[in-house]
Amino acid sequence: MGNTRDMIFSVPKLIAYVSKYLTLEPYDTILTGTPDGLGPIYPGDEIKGYLGNISSVTFQVDENKENMGN
């Protein structure tokens, strides 16, 4: 399990960077990678994110699709 204080770039810096290239809307999520010591993710894995005791979000990892968006 990781913590935002352990990230290379701070959350405000990441938001500022992403905001240069696209408009962030409410409920948008910025995925930054896995904490140190965790291995790769695979289809069928579940990713959970937490904001303290306030809320959580869960993602199911799907298969990598080539030419997505076409």
Side-chain angles (χ1 to χ4, degrees):
M1 185 179 268
N3 192 298
T4 55
R5 71 174 162 260
D6 300 324
M7 294 171 60
I8 295 170
F9 299 105
S10 69
V11 172
K13 189 171 274 196
L14 288 168
I15 292 171
Y17 179 80
V18 170
S19 296
K20 288 182 189 179
Y21 301 98
L22 52 104
T23 302
L24 292 171
E25 301 288 343
Y27 306 105
D28 281 349
T29 304
I30 301 172
L31 299 176
T32 60
T34 58
D36 189 33
L38 293 181
I41 60 172
Y42 298 100
D45 286 352
E46 188 175 82
I47 299 173
K48 293 184 179 183
Y50 302 91
L51 183 57
N53 296 340
I54 300 170
S55 63
S56 67
V57 62
T58 302
F59 298 93
Q60 191 72 31
V61 178
D62 200 355
E63 289 187 39
N64 183 14
K65 308 277 190 218
E66 290 189 39
N67 300 317
M68 287 182 65
N70 292 335

